[in-house]
Every structure is written in C-alpha cells, then in structure tokens.
Amino acid sequence: MPSIPTSTKGRIGVLLVNLGTPDSPQTGDVRRYLNEFLTDARVIDMPAAVRYPLFRGLVVPLRAPKSAKIYQQLWTDRGSPLLFHGLDLQKLVQEKLGKDYLVAFGMRYQKPSIESALQELRDAAVDRIIVLPLFPQYAAASTGSVQEKVMDIVSKWWVVPSISFISTFVDIPGFTGTFATLGKEEMAKHHYDHVVFSYHGIPERHVLKGSQNGYCKLANCCNSYNKNNRYCYRAQCFETSRLLGAALGLSPEQYTTTFQSRLQSRLRDPWLQPYTDEVIKEFPAKGIKSVLAFSPAFVADCLETTIEVGEEFKELFEEAGGEHWQLVPSLNSHPQWVETVADMIRHN
C-alpha cells in the first residue's frame, strides 16, 4: 500500500499596507517622510529631472516645518495614529484569522517598511501572500504605488510565492456598513442638516490617464459604477457615497461628495472637484448650519481626517456662519471593520 505523502502546505501570508507617517513630529523626520512621499513617480507624475529638484529642493524644505507643527497637534502618547491604528488592526486581524495565517503590517513610506513586512513573511516561508492596501478606492498614486513597490521587492527574490492583491473594496458591505454604524452613533446624538463625504483629491489627469478607451469624462460618467470605470478613483468615490448614503437612510439631496487635500497651489493643473473647503463655506447661506462629515477614503484616523476635516474644515464652516460640525471617526480597529478585513482575506 503506497504511503500518503505529508502535506507541505504552509501558512498564508497577509500584508496590510497603509500610506506612511514620519517617525516623529520633528521637522527632520517630517522632511524625510515628505521627501520619500512627494518624489514617488506615481504620486507626482513628473519627469524625475523635474520632480526631484522641485520637491526636494523647494517644496519639501518649505512644507516640512509647517507640516511638523500640524503633526505635533496630531501626535498622541502612542505616537502617530496612522501607525498605532494599523498595528492594532494587524493584531486583531491576526487573532481573528488564527494560526493558518501570518499577518504583517507595513507602510508605503517610512517605517515599518513594506520591505521589512515582506521579509517577515518570507522568513516564515508562507505558502502565498495576500496584499491588502488599506485604501478603499483604487488610485495609481496609492494602491498602485503599493502594488508597484511590492512587485519591485519580490522581483529580486530567487523564489517568489504566489501573490494576490485586493485592489479595491468600495462595494464590500462591511466597509460602508462600519462607517454607517459609526455615523448612526453620531446622528443619534444630534440633528444634522446635511452630510459631507470628503475624499482625498488627486489631479484630474490621473483619472484621465487611467481611463479605459476614453470612458472617463469627469462628468456624469460617474453616475454609475461599472466595468468601464471600476478602477476610476472618482467613480469609486461617488459609488462609496451612494452606498454609504443608502446605508445611512439618506436621499441624494441630503449629502454632498467633495474632495480635499489638493496641492493645486504648487501644481497648477486642476484636481478633482468640487473642493471641500470651497463647498462648505457656501452651506450656511443655504440654510445648512449643522453638518456631519465623513472621510471615507481613509480607514484610519490621520492628519487628513483628524486635523484637516475635524479641525480646519470645522473652523472654515463656523467662520462662514455654520453652527455645528462633527467628524465621524474612521474605522480604525472597530470590531465590525476587523471582521470585514478578515472576511476579505478569507475569501480572496
């Protein structure tokens, strides 16, 4: 009777990736972070001969001291929220998935690096690797950059295991469901005249460069989410708003989709519109005095959520005559979100 061979199946490796954070809120560390981030060719799609001298020689030296002051407002006893929320998520997802999986966490820029996280999985001789960039909506400057970095690193390995990517999760019910849970908690405390879904902006040219057969027109083409625009960042943002609005029981007239964090003052071409800071200043004159704000492009609180949306936009709104502005916290390590991430990995 022939012997039954022993299985060689190993654990499944999981790599969770978020954008990145400085090592500290001090100017030197912020400068190093910005230098890496703003010279990524997928973020600033300029020729290297222009990109490096412009950003390392001019933009970053001017921006770093100002950004450091903002990071100092954001920093907590545990350090950077983007980092500790990521580590919390890693720990809880690992517990949820169990011993058949090994979950690592890395940042696209700075520490812990993608390379160190991949090395952890490589050292454990995982059977295959599932990469989940923690960006709900695919963009070449975020998810695409993570994918490119991962492929560049593993291309240098002699043995490359099977690798798969989860590129977008806007239509995963648990994603919008968790945001809806958090939103309903705030809505139970206060009446809101309107809801704003504010997404991180990207240059319009990024959308057009990724358009399939010229489908994207930066107009009504985003009124539906289909095979032609499934990787269009703008279309995914509007789809997120529709799904989240429905989960909150809102009609289309009760919410607005906007875009924040543009660098247009330095890069003169237009970014995705409408711009959050401009839209909210018009609300009070229209009778909208109380606003509930979401940042559904982020799954962890960070500078763009806590400071930009939570504080700076609140100030702009109140200066224009608004009375109440409330930011819904991000998903962070909410139990519903942890379960959603684990399910995405199990079903990959």
Side-chain angles (χ1 to χ4, degrees):
M1 184 174 182
S3 60
I4 300 174
T6 303
S7 172
T8 59
K9 184 178 180 181
R11 286 187 291 178
I12 296 173
V14 177
L15 173 59
L16 305 178
V17 186
N18 215 322
L19 187 75
T21 183
D23 290 339
S24 82
Q26 301 308 310
T27 300
D29 285 331
V30 173
R31 184 186 299 113
R32 278 186 286 275
Y33 166 71
L34 292 176
N35 272 332
E36 185 177 6
F37 174 42
L38 294 177
T39 53
D40 183 342
R42 282 184 170 265
V43 175
I44 306 296
D45 53 333
M46 294 178 167
V50 176
R51 185 172 69 252
Y52 279 92
L54 174 61
F55 282 87
R56 291 196 169 182
L58 177 62
V59 175
V60 170
L62 291 173
R63 189 181 177 107
K66 299 175 185 177
S67 294
K69 291 180 180 179
I70 300 173
Y71 273 110
Q72 287 162 18
Q73 298 174 46
L74 178 72
W75 228 251
T76 72
D77 292 341
R78 294 186 66 191
S80 166
L82 195 69
L83 176 57
F84 69 71
H85 285 312
L87 294 173
D88 288 348
L89 182 66
Q90 174 199 10
K91 177 178 179 291
L92 293 169
V93 171
Q94 178 69 74
E95 292 174 358
K96 187 71 66 173
L97 291 174
K99 61 181 179 58
D100 291 334
Y101 294 81
L102 177 61
V103 183
F105 177 71
M107 294 286 200
R108 175 60 185 87
Y109 311 107
Q110 299 298 288
K111 301 171 186 174
S113 67
I114 291 177
E115 188 165 15
S116 66
L118 283 171
Q119 188 62 46
E120 179 184 348
L121 300 179
R122 186 187 189 191
D123 290 344
V126 296
D127 192 56
R128 63 189 181 94
I129 297 174
I130 300 169
V131 183
L132 174 56
L134 294 168
F135 312 112
Q137 302 83 19
Y138 176 91
S142 55
T143 306
S145 180
V146 168
Q147 293 170 333
E148 182 179 85
K149 185 69 173 179
V150 168
M151 291 187 287
D152 179 62
I153 292 168
V154 301
S155 70
K156 299 175 176 63
W157 295 0
W158 189 251
V159 176
V160 180
S162 296
I163 298 178
S164 59
F165 296 91
I166 299 174
S167 298
T168 176
F169 46 89
V170 297
D171 51 359
I172 297 295
F175 162 62
T176 47
T178 310
F179 260 125
T181 296
L182 294 165
K184 287 175 182 177
E185 290 175 2
E186 298 297 337
M187 294 166 78
K189 302 173 189 174
H190 190 90
H191 168 74
Y192 292 95
D193 299 326
H194 202 71
V195 170
V196 168
F197 300 126
S198 181
Y199 299 85
H200 199 287
I202 62 173
E204 290 182 353
R205 70 177 184 276
H206 282 203
V207 169
L208 297 175
K209 283 172 69 172
S211 176
Q212 295 290 320
N213 301 316
Y215 181 85
C216 296
K217 304 296 181 185
L218 299 170
N220 294 336
C221 49
C222 291
N223 286 350
S224 68
Y225 185 50
N226 54 68
K227 65 178 183 179
N228 294 312
N229 62 10
R230 60 180 176 164
Y231 287 113
C232 168
Y233 179 75
R234 184 176 185 269
Q236 291 172 88
C237 291
F238 279 99
E239 176 69 358
T240 304
S241 294
R242 286 190 291 267
L243 293 172
L244 186 48
L248 291 167
L250 303 175
S251 66
E253 295 75 26
Q254 292 177 295
Y255 64 83
T256 301
T257 297
T258 61
F259 298 90
Q260 65 184 82
S261 309
R262 67 189 184 278
L263 290 173
Q264 195 180 354
S265 59
R266 301 252 196 274
L267 305 174
R268 296 178 183 175
D269 56 335
W271 282 44
L272 292 180
Q273 301 180 50
Y275 302 136
T276 308
D277 57 344
E278 294 182 359
V279 168
I280 62 176
K281 287 187 287 189
E282 299 173 355
F283 278 163
K286 298 176 180 178
I288 298 173
K289 297 298 182 72
S290 181
V291 171
L292 184 64
F294 290 77
S295 291
F298 302 91
V299 300
D301 280 319
C302 56
L303 186 148
E304 288 83 359
T305 63
T306 303
I307 302 298
E308 188 173 12
V309 179
E311 298 182 13
E312 293 176 3
F313 289 169
K314 179 178 185 289
E315 185 177 342
L316 286 175
F317 181 64
E318 291 176 346
E319 286 176 352
E323 297 173 357
H324 186 78
W325 176 275
Q326 178 63 50
L327 169 66
V328 175
S330 198
L331 308 184
N332 298 323
S333 55
H334 189 283
Q336 191 175 344
W337 173 232
V338 172
E339 185 62 52
T340 299
V341 172
D343 279 345
M344 282 195 284
I345 293 164
R346 291 189 194 105
H347 294 113
N348 182 261

